[in-house]
Amino acid sequence: LRDEEDIQFWLKCAAWALVVNAMVCLWDRYINHAHQVHAWFEHQNSLAMWSYMIGLPLLAAALGNISYQRMGLYLAGYVGCAIAVVFCLSRAAIASLALGSAIVVFLTLRDQVNPKRAFVIATLGLIGFVGLVPAVDTVIERFTSKFNAESEITRVMLNESSRRMMAKYPVLGTGWNTYGVMINPPYDYGNPFDDYELSRGYKVDVKRMRSRPISESWYYLMLAETGVLGTAGCFLFFLVTLFWCARIIFRYRQTFRAVVAIGLLAGLGMNYLHSNLERTLTQPKNLVTWMICLGVVARLEWWRRQEALQRARAPVERQPAAAAPILPAPTGSIFIPPPGPHIKPRIS
């Protein structure tokens, strides 16, 4: 990234990617009749989190001071993001997109209120309402499905297994990429699954190898594999990136850089929050996109620091010293002090 035009180019690529991805989601939904679409991703949650990670920066950029042509493309990308998230039928993703969009709208209006931003926000709200009406029954069914309780039970057992690993190895964890081994026999960290089966009246053959899943929560997975030390380092990294976004917003108020930072703050923040439920930031497409977003944040922060350094090195313009006041010449007789005792008076 060399200048703001490079950021615009990245946003254009992100917008077109979301538009194409939305077409794939529509095909999966209405041609292939998929219930939860995942397009070209490994899972619907991966698709949803990837979509709003770059969709929220597009929404913020569309509210900036840019041309109407670019604004239309960015808004099209954001609409594609909304289509993908809704068709994924991920409860947490829908809530994250709604909350992230509210953060973007609030911060952009706080940064600057103008008729263009008010019109765009009102238009998007109307389009969202009209577009959500046909899918409202499916969304409500997904939120009230009986499979939600079964999924929650599995999540609770996985988290309990993670806590057992952390209790045994609290500082450094069990080791990177060892969760899938430690949760299965001959280790006993996966016993919560056996206890659950026994509580339902089923028999458990402890000698039979069973393949249990990996924790869906990225944070519980990190606590189990890397312990408190590794997880604390990761959280510190998260906070630094969000702090940089906030500092950029404050420094470049009412500029294009500020609105981009607002979108990145919302997109990254929602992904960090959602990662407590899903570990998608470690999957290839999401990881690469995350690194690109962090690269944009790093470049914006680098520009801020360079400007601060230039201001510090700039020579200070000093005002010329005021000239000494000119006193009026004395009038009358001039007083001559008498000589001291050690000086003999000269006799003429």
Side-chain angles (χ1 to χ4, degrees), residues 73-214:
L73 178 59
Y74 296 165
L75 290 178
Y78 175 74
V79 172
C81 158
I83 291 174
V85 171
V86 172
F87 282 4
C88 288
L89 295 177
S90 170
R91 296 167 295 166
I94 293 174
S96 297
L97 177 62
L99 179 58
S101 300
I103 291 174
V104 169
V105 169
F106 172 77
L107 291 179
T108 51
L109 290 179
R110 184 177 177 82
D111 178 64
Q112 185 180 13
V113 179
N114 54 43
K116 174 186 174 183
R117 292 186 178 182
F119 174 76
V120 170
I121 292 170
T123 304
L124 282 177
L126 180 60
I127 294 174
F129 176 77
V130 174
L132 192 60
V133 169
V136 66
D137 293 336
T138 306
V139 173
I140 294 176
E141 179 185 359
R142 175 67 179 93
F143 274 76
T144 59
S145 174
K146 65 178 182 179
F147 295 104
N148 294 338
E150 297 179 4
S151 175
E152 186 63 26
I153 291 173
T154 302
R155 192 183 300 274
V156 169
M157 290 188 294
L158 288 170
N159 294 343
E160 177 60 28
S161 300
S162 300
R163 283 191 287 266
R164 293 189 178 192
M165 297 180 196
M166 181 184 171
K168 186 68 176 295
Y169 305 97
V171 180
L172 299 178
T174 60
W176 193 254
N177 287 336
T178 59
Y179 192 96
V181 176
M182 305 296 285
I183 199 174
N184 288 293
Y187 302 98
D188 59 354
Y189 300 108
N191 284 352
F193 286 88
D194 296 340
D195 298 338
Y196 176 68
E197 295 296 329
L198 291 174
S199 66
R200 299 172 63 190
Y202 295 102
K203 295 182 180 180
V204 176
D205 185 4
V206 295
K207 296 181 180 180
R208 183 173 62 88
M209 290 294 293
R210 296 173 301 282
S211 178
R212 300 189 179 110
I214 298 176

Side-chain angles (χ1 to χ4, degrees), residues 10-314:
W10 167 66
L11 291 171
K12 290 179 183 178
C13 294
W16 280 113
L18 286 171
V19 169
V20 173
N21 190 72
M23 294 179 182
V24 178
C25 291
L26 291 170
W27 180 275
D28 283 350
R29 178 65 178 172
Y30 295 108
I31 304 299
N32 296 333
H33 303 288
H35 180 61
Q36 288 182 285
V37 302
H38 56 82
W40 293 327
F41 283 74
E42 299 85 354
H43 193 268
Q44 63 266 14
N45 287 317
S46 306
L47 167 62
M49 295 178 69
W50 173 84
S51 297
Y52 70 72
M53 187 193 304
I54 56 178
L56 293 174
L58 287 173
L59 173 61
L63 298 175
N65 298 321
I66 58 175
S67 65
Y68 285 98
Q69 181 180 3
R70 287 179 174 178
M71 182 186 71
L73 178 59
Y74 296 165
L75 290 178
Y78 175 74
V79 172
C81 158
I83 291 174
V85 171
V86 172
F87 282 4
C88 288
L89 295 177
S90 170
R91 296 167 295 166
I94 293 174
S96 297
L97 177 62
L99 179 58
S101 300
I103 291 174
V104 169
V105 169
F106 172 77
L107 291 179
T108 51
L109 290 179
R110 184 177 177 82
D111 178 64
Q112 185 180 13
V113 179
N114 54 43
K116 174 186 174 183
R117 292 186 178 182
F119 174 76
V120 170
I121 292 170
T123 304
L124 282 177
L126 180 60
I127 294 174
F129 176 77
V130 174
L132 192 60
V133 169
V136 66
D137 293 336
T138 306
V139 173
I140 294 176
E141 179 185 359
R142 175 67 179 93
F143 274 76
T144 59
S145 174
K146 65 178 182 179
F147 295 104
N148 294 338
E150 297 179 4
S151 175
E152 186 63 26
I153 291 173
T154 302
R155 192 183 300 274
V156 169
M157 290 188 294
L158 288 170
N159 294 343
E160 177 60 28
S161 300
S162 300
R163 283 191 287 266
R164 293 189 178 192
M165 297 180 196
M166 181 184 171
K168 186 68 176 295
Y169 305 97
V171 180
L172 299 178
T174 60
W176 193 254
N177 287 336
T178 59
Y179 192 96
V181 176
M182 305 296 285
I183 199 174
N184 288 293
Y187 302 98
D188 59 354
Y189 300 108
N191 284 352
F193 286 88
D194 296 340
D195 298 338
Y196 176 68
E197 295 296 329
L198 291 174
S199 66
R200 299 172 63 190
Y202 295 102
K203 295 182 180 180
V204 176
D205 185 4
V206 295
K207 296 181 180 180
R208 183 173 62 88
M209 290 294 293
R210 296 173 301 282
S211 178
R212 300 189 179 110
I214 298 176
S215 176
E216 297 180 4
S217 170
W218 190 26
Y219 300 146
Y220 271 104
L221 180 63
M222 281 195 295
L223 284 170
E225 292 188 343
T226 64
V228 176
L229 189 61
T231 307
C234 189
F235 271 88
L236 179 61
F237 180 78
F238 292 166
L239 293 176
V240 168
T241 58
L242 296 179
F243 174 71
W244 283 358
C245 288
R247 193 156 57 172
I248 293 163
I249 295 170
F250 181 78
R251 170 63 184 86
Y252 295 112
R253 292 187 299 272
Q254 300 183 1
T255 65
F256 178 73
R257 296 181 183 183
V259 294
V260 172
I262 288 172
L264 290 169
L265 175 69
L268 294 175
M270 289 300 100
N271 264 264
Y272 296 158
L273 186 64
H274 196 172
S275 293
N276 187 45
L277 300 176
E278 307 294 341
R279 49 179 173 83
T280 62
L281 282 179
T282 59
Q283 297 175 1
K285 299 180 183 68
N286 298 71
L287 178 61
V288 170
T289 304
W290 180 31
M291 292 296 105
I292 293 174
C293 291
L294 293 181
V296 177
V297 174
R299 173 57 72 179
L300 291 171
E301 172 64 12
W302 186 83
W303 284 338
R304 188 199 66 79
R305 294 189 182 187
Q306 288 299 310
E307 292 179 4
L309 187 61
Q310 290 176 2
R311 289 195 302 270
R313 291 179 176 177

